[in-house]
Amino acid sequence: MADLIRDSFTLPGESGYEELTLRLAKKWGADVIRDSDGTQLSDEIINSGYGIYSTICLIRSVNAWAKKNMDKLQQNFLMSNPVTAESDVVEIDPIKGYFTQQFMVNTFDDAKEFWQVFDRTSGEEVALSDWDFNKETGIVTVRNAKKYHNYTVNFLAIRLWEEISMYNHITNDWGDKEHLMAVEPMCPETQEEILRWLEEWCETHPATTVVRFTSMFYNFAWFWSDDSKKRDVLSDWGSYDFTANPIALRAFEAEKGYKMTSEDFINAGKYNQTQNAPTKKYREWMDFINRFVIDFGKKCIDMVHKYGKKAYVFYDDSWIGVEPNGERFTEFGFDGLIKCVFSGFEARLCANAEVETHELRLHPYLFPTGLSGEPTFAPGGNPKLDAQKFWQNVRRALLRKPVDRIGMGGYLHLVEPFPDFCDYIEKVTDEFRLLKTFHEAGAPYEIPGKVMILTAWGSLRAWTCSGHLHEHPEVDLINIIESLSGLPFDVEFKSFDDIKKEGIGKDVKVIINAGVLNSAWSGGDNWKDAEVTAILTEWVAGGGGFIGVNEPSATDFSTQFFQMSHVLGVDKDLGTKKCLGKYNYDVKAKHFITAQNDIIELPACDGVFVLDGSVDVLAEVDGKPAVTAHDYKNGRGIYMSGYRFSLMNTRLLMRAILYAAKAEADMEKFICDNPLTECAYYPGSKKLVIINNTGDVQKANVTTPDGVVTATIDPYDIYIN
Amino acid sequence: MADLIRDSFTLPGESGYEELTLRLAKKWGADVIRDSDGTQLSDEIINSGYGIYSTICLIRSVNAWAKKNMDKLQQNFLMSNPVTAESDVVEIDPIKGYFTQQFMVNTFDDAKEFWQVFDRTSGEEVALSDWDFNKETGIVTVRNAKKYHNYTVNFLAIRLWEEISMYNHITNDWGDKEHLMAVEPMCPETQEEILRWLEEWCETHPATTVVRFTSMFYNFAWFWSDDSKKRDVLSDWGSYDFTANPIALRAFEAEKGYKMTSEDFINAGKYNQTQNAPTKKYREWMDFINRFVIDFGKKCIDMVHKYGKKAYVFYDDSWIGVEPNGERFTEFGFDGLIKCVFSGFEARLCANAEVETHELRLHPYLFPTGLSGEPTFAPGGNPKLDAQKFWQNVRRALLRKPVDRIGMGGYLHLVEPFPDFCDYIEKVTDEFRLLKTFHEAGAPYEIPGKVMILTAWGSLRAWTCSGHLHEHPEVDLINIIESLSGLPFDVEFKSFDDIKKEGIGKDVKVIINAGVLNSAWSGGDNWKDAEVTAILTEWVAGGGGFIGVNEPSATDFSTQFFQMSHVLGVDKDLGTKKCLGKYNYDVKAKHFITAQNDIIELPACDGVFVLDGSVDVLAEVDGKPAVTAHDYKNGRGIYMSGYRFSLMNTRLLMRAILYAAKAEADMEKFICDNPLTECAYYPGSKKLVIINNTGDVQKANVTTPDGVVTATIDPYDIYIN
């Protein structure tokens, strides 16, 4: 083994396949072997001299105790389905329509302390004295109801089945295998039990070098209904809905002097989706929970450290309160962060966190089928091609910012019929280690100045929106971030509060605001704050570049819909300006921004109109302005009607950023002329790396201060000069 | 002439073409000859024994007097373009950007009595003490401005050019022909002058039998900018914007005890577009103006009557306050109403008014070019085909409700090169007179029960939305009304106030609510009124049928966006319910509503989702529910994602109405089986009339109580049994 590079790779081992495990560990240069959900490591593997990662999930680890302490399970607020009053009395069965293997009504606590009943026709709350909950029948009775109004109950539900376990159980048809439950860690007895279990676990796992937490205590929100044709009632990768419970609610009120009501969570049935701009009160609740997750999380991590093991967090599933780019993340004391990656932005999310070891879990996982049920390691699958596509996404991000390790997960034996996959992973691991060495000699060349992404969340959700790109591909910002993940820009993520508190940094050249009305990404009601608009207007007037995408700065307020319409030179008619004349523009055929995009493939935005002749319309889609440019005093406003990640759109975005920054000349330095390729130059190691992002041979020219470098690169390959 | 039918037709005569005038008068069976804008009638024509219509437009008839009384011209409020404050002082030139041949700033009245200045970034009004208007320079200076906020001025502008005259002048390049001005009839001196002029006119036009008013005093709102690429700032066929002036504003305040502010008209730059749901205060202003228009209008009509002439109103252009289906229309004392018609709904609008004589002015007008500049009576034109298409629209409406007369307008000599047109008009006039005879023996068979169109305007805008169908073809309701104009339903138009005051009539079987958010047609904030939702819910629960189109009952309020979503079974996600699960429906292939529509050609509505499995999705467009049906207690809710007029969609709508009404059996009585044909049965005259609405031969079967009638009908032709 001495002649092999042997580091930075984590291999999923599998008991019963010891020979395969050790052979692939050598081939792929592993230095660590891990177990996975559903696999175990034999003594032979454990004792083979590799580092050992072991996965644990604290909240579902004490199921026997959980069964005896049903009042200490995790809870959340649910809204009942509406019931129409046909007389002045309405009866509502709150749980009706929900998946009762997941939820039961909380009958332990006094309903009137936490629940609320609403007339959803008038929007008004029903007085506490006008309703009662019968614990025996499970029915809420509303009195003095208004005829033909619809009533709902906000109630606390106890969760009977930890959601990831539930999903795997049902999807894989695990039959009568025990249902795992999630215990509520706010409860002191639960904390005792978890710490007791963890200590015992550490005692009994001496070979484990790294304990991999999955992740901490609260899963993202995932409510199921009892109707298989509408399985999800709510599915939100960033929501704090599962953190509501009597202990936390009372503690919050005791600390703040005001209470979170059920309606603060239910929010007229919309809940508090990560995609939507949050209220100040909800941000306070998140902050409160985040502090708890860190406080108790730290106790668990300290325990692991006491046993001489490292503590890594796998950032997925029960990740609420663990946000790696949140302000307090370092307080956990984690030694490493592991992130599974489909996309470049996920690699940047990981790389951006302040932690010693950054590790990526590559896709495809070694499972028979992929996320959408398509075959991967099964007949009909082509896992090598899958791996190429995902690596192509991730590699361009790794050119910009390094991580420390990569690895895989799943059932190792599944790779046996796919030798081309095994060879390809060998190539990937070598490519990864090579790129890492370049970074070791210093960061790659970046275009001077910063690009700020302005959202309601700011750095809390740096390099992410909510969930994966394939789940909400219609979210413009996640597509933009994916493009940016491989571009030579220094990107920062700021909230509206940030710019009000700190102003806009001197080094910021371009601000991007992208999203639809009321989304967290566009900003929602933050745009009703004149201070925000004035700060940004002054900044653009002074020479800044503002790029707005889809419904930037949108809120139905005052004369304009886009509050930055005077800067962008475009606004949008929601249908209430039908009779107002719209400027009859011509499309400007030649422009710096669109110079490399003969065809513009962006989503159209209905109702967008140009204010006047000072605006250059650079492209149309469906007869509507799709890309516009507008000089505003000393700065520039750029509008794009939408954004989807593609190599050609990435080029369009890069040029738009450079134009907004009045930095057009930067296109001529360390940028591939061919948009289907990208490059990075590492001044420390004096290396120029060019990558081919396509399945075809590509030629690329890169202008450097020492002349033009020309390369011809095989499909998905890499060129180094 | 004794052997010719000679009635019910108004011919535009033309001096210098006496022979042609009298020849076509005979051919088309005219009993009346009229002048047109730009034509005169010679004594030979006047004395040829025909009735004589003469057109007058009171407000632009006294131009010499107007020039001497510039303070008595009509006015309106305008909003200046926004100006960004770069220090604490901002200077704004209010008129900048407007067409200064149309507008000048009112310097006669005290600006501070009527104007307002707004910070449009914060949405707040600037204190009167913080701004001044300098009459000499024309500049408004704002002090204590907030840096980088945008400011606008609401100001009173005097109008220098009557808009219809301005449009004709500029379009036809009339050079230095005098600009006609619109005088303000609220001013007592103006009233005196108008009455003086009218009396003189009556004295000097003894041969005139009918005085045709065009129309009364206030034109629809039409603001022009100084930029030819954005000619219209506002163009709204129903807006009362031109009725604002100091006299009226002061009189309103004196009567009501509260004032209309400039912002009540400007409305954050949106003005009060007819397409948008009006506020209560603006409706009060309209009512106030309507009373004035009738009061002074009646004096003018009385004058005409005093001279033994009839007074007809041509309902177009200066029609504000003249709405023929308004509550007070009969108080004018008009003898006739003339409406020019492109569409069936316009014929129904005319037919629906309570007045002695209903007359239609057919298109195409005898002009060289049509409305979009395309040739009509010019080389390349095909006026016969144009006439066929318009007549096809109008005829189906006349099958349902009769009018008394038809006629034409324009330059008669233009028809000479088009003998096929002349022959076709002869056929049309004969067809018209024949249809009229059928109605004389009693109304045609209608399907029992009423269809109610529920809008914010109610009967004030019965059988219209705003303007012509071709101007806003995206307005669902105008398309629906066009379909209904030829269908065998009894249609009524009600407002939200109506149903709150009167409830829903016992004979109403189906209610249609159609339009987009905040439109007058959908209803806007009326849907925040729980009483409205409860009344309608109870009515459907009791057996009514509710048809919602596009964004029916929409307002962003409480848990639902469509306030009638519980009835419709569908709702719409504005983007803030992205993470809420949506029901995964199947499309139901066979259903009564879609039985004759293999292909559904309706606009899709983004974000519409189905609530649960109780909803039948009958058709999709672009993967979104396009037609759905839902049983709600004893009634039915039908949703359509949009509506455009076509023969096939008319059939879809008819079937949807019958299904909503649980009157499916009515499809089998006096309905053509072929949707490209339509019929009417007149029990009084025992005549069945079938029309072919296409340019191809059609076959139709009609089931009657006496058996099936089968007809084969030539293109655009009519069959009578």
Side-chain angles (χ1 to χ4, degrees), chain B residues 121-175:
Chain B
T121 302
S122 70
E124 288 159 6
E125 188 180 352
V126 173
L128 284 184
S129 55
D130 273 343
W131 64 269
D132 280 303
F133 172 58
N134 183 327
K135 287 187 186 188
E136 309 306 316
T137 61
I139 297 296
V140 170
T141 303
V142 183
R143 293 174 298 275
N144 299 318
K146 289 181 182 142
K147 272 180 81 173
Y148 293 99
H149 284 217
N150 290 321
Y151 290 85
T152 63
V153 176
N154 297 347
F155 65 104
L156 270 177
I158 288 179
R159 292 210 318 287
L160 303 170
W161 206 349
E162 193 275 332
E163 283 65 29
I164 302 305
S165 165
M166 176 174 80
Y167 171 79
N168 288 332
H169 197 293
I170 289 173
T171 305
N172 299 317
D173 211 4
W174 284 346

Side-chain angles (χ1 to χ4, degrees), chain A residues 48-324:
Chain A
S48 59
Y50 289 88
I52 300 294
Y53 283 10
S54 302
T55 63
I56 62 169
C57 179
L58 294 171
I59 46 141
R60 62 185 187 209
S61 62
V62 294
N63 216 44
W65 184 87
K67 276 189 204 164
K68 283 181 270 171
N69 292 276
M70 299 286 280
D71 61 329
K72 298 181 183 65
L73 298 183
Q74 292 194 12
Q75 306 189 24
N76 59 281
F77 282 110
L78 291 177
M79 183 179 82
S80 77
N81 282 321
V83 178
T84 305
E86 295 188 78
S87 73
D88 62 354
V89 175
V90 198
E91 299 205 326
I92 304 173
D93 177 4
I95 204 81
K96 191 179 169 192
Y98 286 100
F99 185 49
T100 49
Q101 295 189 61
Q102 183 185 15
F103 296 111
M104 64 176 254
V105 175
N106 174 343
T107 52
F108 296 108
D109 294 283
D110 177 20
K112 295 222 175 173
E113 185 181 351
F114 300 107
W115 302 14
Q116 288 171 289
V117 177
F118 280 86
D119 175 343
R120 297 296 186 182
T121 302
S122 71
E124 289 159 6
E125 188 181 351
V126 173
L128 285 183
S129 55
D130 273 344
W131 62 269
D132 280 301
F133 172 58
N134 183 329
K135 287 187 187 191
E136 308 307 317
T137 61
I139 297 296
V140 170
T141 303
V142 183
R143 293 175 297 275
N144 299 317
K146 288 179 182 143
K147 272 181 82 171
Y148 292 100
H149 285 217
N150 290 321
Y151 290 84
T152 64
V153 176
N154 296 347
F155 65 103
L156 270 176
I158 288 179
R159 294 211 316 287
L160 302 171
W161 205 351
E162 193 275 334
E163 282 68 26
I164 304 303
S165 165
M166 172 174 82
Y167 172 79
N168 289 333
H169 197 295
I170 289 172
T171 305
N172 299 317
D173 210 5
W174 284 346
D176 54 7
K177 190 175 167 185
E178 186 181 35
H179 293 193
L180 299 180
M181 295 186 277
V183 292
E184 173 50 60
M186 273 261 176
C187 180
E189 298 94 318
T190 311
Q191 291 177 23
E192 264 177 49
E193 178 63 15
I194 284 177
L195 289 172
R196 190 202 56 68
W197 176 87
L198 181 59
E199 182 135 39
E200 188 182 306
W201 188 94
C202 288
E203 294 275 1
T204 54
H205 290 76
T208 296
T209 54
V210 171
V211 178
R212 199 208 70 158
F213 289 88
T214 310
S215 301
M216 284 278 105
F217 310 118
Y218 297 111
N219 203 72
F220 60 87
W222 205 2
F223 307 168
W224 285 22
S225 84
D226 65 358
D227 187 338
S228 63
K229 300 200 73 161
K230 184 189 168 182
R231 197 188 60 182
D232 295 347
V233 174
L234 175 67
S235 168
D236 180 345
W237 286 87
S239 158
Y240 274 55
D241 271 285
F242 280 174
T243 64
N245 62 76
I247 298 171
L249 291 165
R250 288 179 191 130
F252 180 89
E253 186 178 1
E255 182 181 314
K256 303 277 183 182
Y258 52 86
K259 69 189 269 187
M260 289 290 287
T261 64
S262 68
E263 187 64 4
D264 287 325
F265 292 89
I266 298 296
N267 190 22
K270 284 201 280 287
Y271 299 89
N272 289 278
Q273 296 172 45
T274 313
Q275 306 277 3
N276 298 345
T279 61
K280 189 168 172 293
K281 194 175 179 190
Y282 191 71
R283 290 288 319 242
E284 281 167 8
W285 173 261
M286 288 173 62
D287 188 69
F288 174 81
I289 293 296
N290 176 244
R291 273 189 288 119
F292 164 73
V293 170
I294 289 175
D295 289 348
F296 182 54
K298 192 167 162 41
K299 285 183 191 161
C300 300
I301 293 156
D302 287 349
M303 169 87 74
V304 165
H305 284 161
K306 197 178 80 180
Y307 281 86
K309 302 175 193 304
K310 298 217 165 190
Y312 285 15
V313 62
F314 179 63
Y315 185 61
D316 222 318
D317 303 346
S318 288
W319 61 5
I320 297 307
V322 188
E323 296 80 3

Side-chain angles (χ1 to χ4, degrees), chain B residues 327-613:
Chain B
E327 279 177 19
R328 300 198 197 91
F329 176 75
T330 55
E331 295 176 24
F332 277 112
F334 281 120
D335 305 291
L337 170 72
I338 306 170
K339 177 86 198 82
C340 75
V341 287
F342 294 94
S343 306
F345 75 84
E346 290 159 327
R348 294 295 296 266
L349 183 158
C350 182
N352 199 52
E354 278 188 56
V355 68
E356 190 188 337
T357 302
H358 307 82
E359 177 163 342
L360 301 185
R361 194 66 68 242
L362 300 182
H363 277 275
Y365 267 50
L366 310 180
F367 290 149
T369 55
L371 277 187
S372 318
E374 78 287 1
T376 45
F377 292 93
N382 186 347
K384 180 192 168 187
L385 186 63
D386 294 344
Q388 277 178 322
K389 287 181 179 166
F390 294 128
W391 180 241
Q392 167 200 343
N393 291 338
V394 170
R395 183 177 62 180
R396 52 189 293 275
L398 294 182
L399 241 57
R400 308 304 328 159
K401 292 283 173 192
V403 297
D404 305 287
R405 306 180 53 81
I406 57 175
M408 311 195 79
Y411 308 107
L412 193 66
H413 75 273
L414 291 173
V415 308
E416 279 190 299
F418 300 95
D420 61 338
F421 172 81
C422 297
D423 291 345
Y424 181 67
I425 295 301
E426 187 178 356
K427 183 170 153 55
V428 165
T429 54
D430 286 344
E431 216 170 272
F432 169 72
R433 292 185 194 100
L434 183 63
L435 292 178
K436 216 176 120 175
T437 60
F438 296 153
H439 282 286
E440 278 160 10
Y445 165 79
E446 266 177 353
I447 292 167
K450 279 189 178 170
V451 175
M452 178 198 290
I453 306 289
L454 180 64
T455 71
W457 292 118
S459 63
L460 181 74
R461 305 205 188 279
W463 292 110
T464 181
C465 286
S466 179
H468 305 111
L469 201 158
H470 61 258
E471 285 150 356
H472 290 290
E474 77 284 7
V475 172
D476 301 288
L477 186 60
I478 197 77
N479 287 276
I480 289 172
I481 290 176
E482 181 61 7
S483 284
L484 288 173
S485 74
L487 286 177
F489 293 115
D490 185 3
V491 182
E492 67 176 20
F493 293 79
K494 293 287 182 182
S495 72
F496 296 90
D497 286 344
D498 290 339
I499 64 167
K500 283 170 67 177
K501 246 179 270 168
E502 309 157 8
I504 296 163
K506 283 227 164 65
D507 47 359
V508 175
K509 292 273 195 288
V510 174
I511 295 177
I512 298 177
N513 181 248
V516 295
L517 177 66
N518 289 328
S519 67
W521 323 123
S522 175
D525 284 350
N526 286 293
W527 288 109
K528 290 194 169 76
D529 183 343
E531 193 185 342
V532 165
T533 307
I535 287 170
L536 288 163
T537 301
E538 179 166 13
W539 178 78
V540 179
F546 184 81
I547 299 181
V549 180
N550 198 340
E551 298 183 334
S553 70
T555 186
D556 199 2
F557 174 72
S558 192
T559 44
Q560 55 285 335
F561 177 58
F562 296 166
Q563 300 303 309
M564 294 291 283
S565 58
H566 52 291
V567 164
L568 295 168
V570 301
D571 203 347
K572 171 166 170 154
D573 177 6
L574 293 173
T576 53
K577 293 182 173 175
K578 217 179 260 304
C579 294
L580 297 183
K582 311 297 189 299
Y583 185 79
N584 183 23
Y585 61 83
D586 300 307
V587 176
K588 191 166 180 167
K590 287 196 168 193
H591 194 275
F592 174 81
I593 293 176
T594 48
Q596 289 186 272
N597 292 71
D598 293 337
I599 301 164
I600 298 292
E601 291 186 323
L602 300 175
C605 185
D606 285 343
V608 164
F609 63 91
V610 162
L611 298 190
D612 57 42

